[in-house]
Amino acid sequence: VMELEMEKEAADIARLAASYPVGNKTALSGGSLWSAGSSTPIADVEAAREAIRSKVGRYPTHMIIPPKVMTALKQHASIIDRMKYTGRDIPSKELLQSFFEVPNIIVPDSIYLADNADLSNPAFADVWGNDVVLAYVETAGLASRGSPSYGYTYQLSGYPFAEEPYYGRNEKTWYFPYTDSRQPVLAGATAGYLIQTAV
């Protein structure tokens, strides 16, 4: 539950178009959607890679592709056409890493239920929606503070920690309290690129 909450917080920050400068975001629609046969996902990602490199001098190290977008890419004619030279039958995450020239592709499958959802007929939503995020992420730690990393999650040392569970007699349920102190931060939007509504 804690990890899902933290991922949702980070996704909300990463998917906020207002956080990015003009040259580091695009919104797809109509024939440019990656679910449309006329779209050019490889060229779109190449443009995103160059946008990041021109701002921070590094190519992106990570790319987040939500499940619905991944499904569309696996069926896209341009991906299948390139795949025929690889001897592979199905476009995999590893194959897309090669096509897009991004070393780490993440396909997050987390879903959530909105606070005001109809519990009699719940409709879950993808945490990352249909938005693709590319980012240069420095994972070396505090010694590399000068690197132009896209974002961080700051967490106080020793957190989170669990407290002693207790039973609520009136509610007839167990409680498992915990305390956490963290904050996801988009530290360098120029080291990232947002592709909104990819499908």
Side-chain angles (χ1 to χ4, degrees):
V1 171
M2 291 167 60
E3 287 179 354
L4 178 59
E5 184 180 31
M6 185 167 65
E7 182 179 357
K8 180 68 168 65
E9 289 174 8
D12 288 346
I13 292 170
R15 296 176 59 206
L16 184 62
S19 300
Y20 295 83
V22 173
N24 288 71
K25 60 186 172 184
T26 187
L28 304 182
S29 62
S32 67
L33 293 171
W34 291 356
S35 49
S38 58
S39 64
T40 56
I42 295 173
D44 292 344
V45 172
E46 189 62 35
R49 291 179 73 248
E50 288 302 322
I52 293 171
R53 187 186 68 83
S54 70
K55 300 282 178 62
V56 299
R58 308 280 180 92
Y59 282 114
T61 56
H62 291 73
M63 182 175 179
I64 295 174
I65 305 177
K68 291 176 184 173
V69 180
M70 187 68 170
T71 299
L73 287 174
K74 285 181 177 181
Q75 301 170 27
H76 199 280
S78 66
I79 302 293
I80 293 171
D81 184 60
R82 283 202 180 193
M83 193 185 68
K84 66 186 179 186
Y85 302 108
T86 66
R88 306 280 288 275
D89 296 327
I90 300 171
S92 64
K93 184 174 72 170
E94 291 72 26
L95 207 56
L96 290 179
Q97 287 173 172
S98 173
F99 290 168
F100 292 144
E101 297 183 75
V102 178
N104 300 291
I105 286 182
I106 301 154
V107 183
D109 57 2
S110 304
I111 57 174
Y112 73 100
L113 192 61
D115 291 337
N116 59 353
D118 178 8
L119 297 181
S120 63
N121 185 24
F124 289 90
D126 285 312
V127 169
W128 291 89
N130 294 335
D131 301 333
V132 173
V133 177
L134 288 94
Y136 174 78
V137 179
E138 178 57 64
T139 57
L142 291 177
S144 301
R145 282 185 293 207
S147 297
S149 189
Y150 171 75
Y152 302 93
T153 297
Y154 295 104
Q155 187 154 27
L156 286 181
S157 179
Y159 287 81
F161 67 84
E163 301 173 35
E164 194 71 30
Y166 65 91
Y167 184 75
R169 290 190 172 197
N170 291 338
E171 304 88 346
K172 295 187 179 356
T173 188
W174 279 94
Y175 289 92
F176 295 85
Y178 74 93
T179 303
D180 198 2
S181 183
R182 66 170 189 274
Q183 181 62 55
V185 175
L186 180 57
T190 54
Y193 194 98
L194 175 64
I195 301 174
Q196 287 185 293
T197 56
V199 297

